[in-house]
Amino acid sequence: MSSYDVTDSAVIDATPERVFALLVDEYAGRTHWWTQVESKPVGDIAFGEVGAVCTVTVRNHGTAHFSWKTTEIVENRFFRFEYLEGDLVGYGDLKLDPQGDKTRIEYRWRVKTRGKANILGPLLNIRKRHSQVIRAGFDALNAQVSRDGESAGRD
């Protein structure tokens, strides 16, 4: 198994409360602004609660499939995901830190590949591709915040 420890961050033009709510809606499958990542809740525990399980498909010059379980949540501040099955095992920590009326978002990804991802990982530069997907998600999150602000201004 290949191991990865990657951290990506950005500043989002919204409060941690708004960012948290947008992430919960996206991971729960209620919205679809993060086009490279498709998340579908599995089971009876709603996303946004500890114990929620999601199956995830990531598309970036290939496709990765895995499931994760939310193992820790601090509302408006932190999610910890445990990658359970599929191409990855390990953890992801998503932190939200207030910066005035904005939020510094950080995702630390600590995983090991298995199966086809273990074989193809070095060839595909999984570390780089993961960062591309996460940064695209941060950009999409900022765009969603902007769209929400424009919608609110029209009401």
Side-chain angles (χ1 to χ4, degrees):
M1 284 189 207
S2 296
S3 296
Y4 299 90
D5 189 339
V6 181
T7 301
D8 292 287
S9 63
V11 175
I12 306 299
D13 297 324
T15 64
E17 294 79 12
R18 183 69 188 129
V19 171
F20 187 88
L22 287 166
L23 290 168
V24 168
D25 284 348
E26 185 67 14
Y27 290 137
R30 291 188 288 270
T31 59
H32 304 287
W33 46 260
W34 196 346
T35 58
Q36 290 178 304
V37 177
E38 181 181 351
S39 177
K40 294 182 182 176
V42 177
D44 296 332
I45 301 173
F47 190 84
E49 297 179 28
V50 170
V53 175
C54 292
T55 60
V56 180
T57 302
V58 178
R59 292 176 185 82
N60 179 359
H61 306 288
T63 305
H65 302 278
F66 52 88
S67 64
W68 68 23
K69 178 179 182 178
T70 307
T71 60
E72 186 178 346
I73 296 176
V74 177
E75 190 170 352
N76 304 324
R77 297 295 298 222
F78 181 79
F79 293 96
R80 172 163 288 155
F81 306 109
E82 180 180 2
Y83 292 80
L84 302 170
E85 298 177 7
D87 297 327
L88 305 169
V89 292
Y91 294 91
D93 293 336
L94 192 139
K95 295 180 186 179
L96 306 175
D97 292 316
Q99 295 198 334
D101 60 351
K102 298 182 180 192
T103 302
R104 182 178 184 279
I105 187 170
E106 177 183 284
Y107 191 76
R108 182 173 179 206
W109 191 59
R110 299 177 324 271
V111 299
K112 293 182 179 184
T113 55
R114 60 183 183 187
K116 70 177 181 178
N118 195 45
I119 296 165
L120 296 174
L123 299 171
L124 297 175
N125 195 346
I126 286 181
R127 180 182 317 276
K128 177 181 176 184
R129 290 179 191 264
H130 177 267
S131 287
Q132 288 172 339
V133 168
I134 295 300
R135 284 193 307 266
F138 292 163
D139 290 345
L141 177 56
N142 241 341
Q144 184 64 34
V145 165
S146 180
R147 281 191 296 276
D148 287 355
E150 290 170 6
S151 298
R154 284 184 257 155
D155 293 339

